[in-house]
Amino acid sequence: MFFRQAPFGGGFSLFAGLSDCLLFLRNFRLTEDDVAYLQSVLPQDTDPAFFSFLTGLDCSAVSIASVPEGTAMFGKVPLLEVSGPLAVVQLLETSLLCMVNYASLVCSNAARFRLAAGPAVKLMELGLRRAQGPDGGLSASRYTHIGGFDLTSNVLAGRLFGVPVAGTMAHSYITSFSSLEETLMPCSGGDPVDLVSLAVGWLRRVRQLLGAESGGIRQGEFAAFLSYGIAYPQNFLPVIDSYSVQCSGLPCFCAVALALCELGYRPVGIRLDSGDLCRQSVEVRGVFRRCSDHFNFPEFQSLIIVGSNGVSEGSLAELRQKENEINVMGVGTHLVTCSRQPSLGCVYKLVEISGQPRMKLTEDPKKSTLPGRKAVYRLMDSDGRPFLDLLCLSGEPEPKKGVSLRCHPLGQEPPLCVTPAQVMNLQQKVFINGQIICPLSSLGESRARAQTSINALHPQYTRLEQPDKYPVAISEKLHQLFCDLKTGSVSPVLLPC
């Protein structure tokens, strides 16, 4: 299994979905009901022995070699190598491609968003309501975390996979209130405190400080903030643009937050979900600092500002170029739908049968395949940075550090001589004869591997726009086999496209 080109016009893709593949293979079998259904839809003259074969079908004779989940990968380099009985491994094709294609695509998209945002801003995935169904939404929450997102609003992803969960509140919560009389009051707790009266007093002082007109305050918004502050005094982070940030949302937040600070609680911050996020964040931060200095509450210096509103990779890149005070960016639609490219385009091709190499020829040379079982090596320079991925036939000696070798870069002429300072064998056996033979990577391990793998690359390969193409080459023996099969000078006969 491999992809031909890195997605989104970029220089790399992250590999993801391996754990799902291995668990699927370990549990793969058809029930009697499954086989009965197949009998009902296949031609009536299908050999009955075929259904007997299906009844006993499993992956007990299947083995897989794979690169580790979270590794940065490049076009034509194998992600998985699947071996086993032909009928079985052919039957697995669609399922394995389904589990790797989207996982790797959305993981890679998240990595690009992380590169665009830079390391300082936290990224929160908010895509569940815009994802392609609940399965797509759950996968997106899981694999965007591997790709570099810090948080998700998808609580089920937190429960199942341990992704840190966070969120704010819906505008419908704010607009459901219309007056202070609707403020929700606590039914139990410590010594009673009239938070409403306390916050009303703070609102008067905040308006005086900011020169805000009393007529601009929305009583329903103030009541919504008070109700939430009463329920969650340690987790107070409302969205403040339901009506007007400057006239109502921001003064109401400051009043409730100051009241909570006076009572010994620490409000968290605010979310902006419309308008010029950069400009508004600077204005909001300025108000926080004025309140901190004027009212002597240093807690206001550390309030966070969350931005959201159709955030794309491009808008994140622009964010870094403009003055802003945003601490967290919430990203949804453009992240989980991978709007710039809907599929990674992984393919699954036969390379060997009964010890004999196979390859595919087409009218388009770019779609031809490389024959034979392969070993995959990443060659690194003296700084420890990868500079070339080398594909060899599986029986060849492993490249050695400090020893020059001759190879053939794909899509380039002539051959190249290189001397690696370090050599990494990317492939490892992960599934042998129906059993998972190594521990599955945790979400945190795959996430750390992804960031390490990307950071190790030269910057010219991770540029978001017009990156250099990372070199992938084949060994002399693989090149010779490819040429012999292509010209027909070596049997077996080439498979048609």
Side-chain angles (χ1 to χ4, degrees):
M1 184 188 296
F2 63 93
F3 58 88
R4 294 188 173 98
Q5 287 186 320
F8 313 112
F12 68 92
S13 173
L14 292 176
F15 170 52
L18 177 61
S19 294
D20 284 342
C21 290
L22 298 181
L23 293 172
F24 169 79
L25 293 173
R26 186 179 66 183
N27 299 318
F28 177 75
R29 56 188 48 85
L30 299 179
T31 67
E32 291 183 1
D33 287 343
D34 294 332
V35 176
Y37 171 73
L38 292 173
Q39 284 181 300
S40 73
V41 297
L42 287 174
Q44 292 184 353
D45 56 356
T46 300
D47 189 334
F50 176 63
F51 298 109
S52 297
F53 164 74
L54 291 180
T55 301
L57 189 67
D58 60 22
C59 291
S60 59
V62 173
S63 296
I64 287 187
S66 170
V67 300
E69 185 167 67
T71 303
M73 297 298 291
F74 309 96
K76 294 292 186 77
V77 180
L79 308 173
L80 297 175
E81 183 180 84
V82 185
S83 60
L86 182 61
V88 179
V89 296
Q90 286 178 329
L91 185 61
L92 296 173
E93 174 176 352
T94 297
S95 297
L96 294 177
L97 285 172
C98 178
M99 285 181 276
V100 170
N101 259 314
Y102 179 69
S104 298
L105 182 73
V106 76
C107 188
S108 304
N109 201 26
R112 291 178 60 86
F113 275 73
R114 168 51 68 196
L115 288 170
V121 176
K122 283 194 172 184
L123 294 177
M124 177 165 56
E125 179 266 315
L126 303 174
L128 181 57
R129 64 185 63 187
R130 305 290 172 80
Q132 282 92 342
D135 292 340
L138 192 59
S139 294
S141 300
R142 178 183 183 182
Y143 291 112
T144 55
H145 186 63
I146 292 177
F149 271 61
D150 303 284
L151 308 160
T152 181
S153 62
N154 186 343
V155 180
L156 186 57
R159 180 183 179 188
L160 294 179
F161 309 124
V163 182
V165 294
T168 58
M169 60 181 63
H171 288 100
S172 60
Y173 167 78
I174 305 293
T175 57
S176 68
F177 290 81
S178 58
S179 69
L180 282 178
E181 285 71 31
E182 296 173 339
T183 302
L184 303 178
M185 302 305 294
C187 52
S188 63
D191 296 333
V193 175
D194 186 355
L195 184 64
V196 175
S197 297
L198 189 62
V200 167
W202 277 112
L203 181 59
R204 188 180 308 111
R205 298 169 67 181
V206 169
R207 287 199 347 262
Q208 291 174 349
L209 175 67
L210 303 181
E213 297 290 336
S214 60
I217 300 296
R218 295 280 186 152
Q219 294 298 311
E221 186 171 40
F222 192 34
F225 289 0
L226 279 164
S227 298
Y228 196 85
I230 289 169
Y232 297 104
Q234 300 281 26
N235 196 40
F236 184 53
L237 198 160
V239 58
I240 65 169
D241 66 342
S242 297
Y243 301 105
S244 168
V245 171
Q246 293 295 334
C247 295
S248 180
L250 184 55
C252 288
F253 166 80
C254 290
V256 176
L258 286 163
L260 291 173
C261 287
E262 185 177 349
L263 296 174
Y265 298 105
R266 294 184 67 91
V268 178
I270 58 95
R271 176 164 71 99
L272 298 166
D273 191 48
S274 61
D276 186 335
L277 299 180
C278 291
R279 176 184 57 79
Q280 288 186 98
S281 71
V282 172
E283 294 172 351
V284 168
R285 183 69 69 197
V287 169
F288 288 168
R289 288 171 178 149
R290 289 176 66 186
C291 288
S292 175
D293 295 340
H294 187 79
F295 300 121
N296 194 28
F297 279 108
E299 296 92 335
F300 263 60
Q301 295 284 354
S302 58
L303 292 172
I304 70 169
I305 298 174
V306 180
S308 59
N309 183 27
V311 178
S312 66
E313 178 188 304
S315 60
L316 278 178
E318 291 177 6
L319 181 74
R320 296 183 70 181
Q321 306 302 320
K322 295 181 179 179
E323 181 186 7
N324 75 88
E325 292 286 344
I326 297 174
N327 306 102
V328 181
M329 286 297 286
V331 189
T333 304
H334 294 292
L335 174 67
V336 303
T337 64
C338 300
S339 54
R340 290 185 59 186
Q341 181 175 326
S343 175
L344 178 57
C346 281
V347 293
Y348 182 88
K349 301 299 179 183
L350 181 66
V351 295
E352 181 181 289
I353 183 168
S354 300
Q356 298 298 313
R358 290 291 193 270
M359 66 179 289
K360 169 185 171 182
L361 286 179
T362 73
E363 298 297 328
D364 183 356
K366 294 180 181 178
K367 298 188 73 173
S368 63
T369 60
L370 296 169
R373 291 190 180 211
K374 301 171 190 70
V376 182
Y377 302 100
R378 182 153 291 174
L379 309 187
M380 289 169 283
D381 60 23
S382 57
D383 294 326
R385 291 188 179 274
F387 69 87
L388 182 141
D389 280 8
L390 180 67
L391 311 185
C392 302
L393 293 172
S394 59
E396 291 188 61
E398 182 172 331
K400 298 186 183 301
K401 64 179 183 180
V403 178
S404 180
L405 61 90
R406 178 181 165 95
C407 59
H408 296 260
L410 296 178
Q412 298 180 31
E413 295 289 345
L416 187 67
C417 286
V418 297
T419 304
Q422 300 177 52
V423 177
M424 179 188 298
N425 187 344
L426 285 185
Q427 276 188 342
Q428 57 182 337
K429 291 288 187 180
V430 293
F431 191 85
I432 295 179
N433 295 330
Q435 298 298 318
I436 301 172
I437 64 166
C438 58
L440 299 178
S441 291
S442 69
L443 200 70
E445 289 169 340
S446 295
R447 173 183 167 87
R449 184 179 298 114
Q451 297 309 306
T452 299
S453 188
I454 293 171
N455 291 338
L457 296 174
H458 283 279
Q460 65 260 35
Y461 303 127
T462 60
R463 285 199 304 261
L464 297 178
E465 300 295 334
Q466 298 182 329
D468 291 350
K469 185 175 181 179
Y470 181 86
V472 175
I474 59 178
S475 67
E476 285 270 47
K477 286 189 176 181
L478 179 52
H479 180 260
Q480 188 61 53
L481 176 62
F482 175 83
C483 293
D484 290 346
L485 288 173
K486 186 175 181 180
T487 59
S489 60
V490 171
S491 61
V493 177
L494 302 178
L495 292 175
C497 66

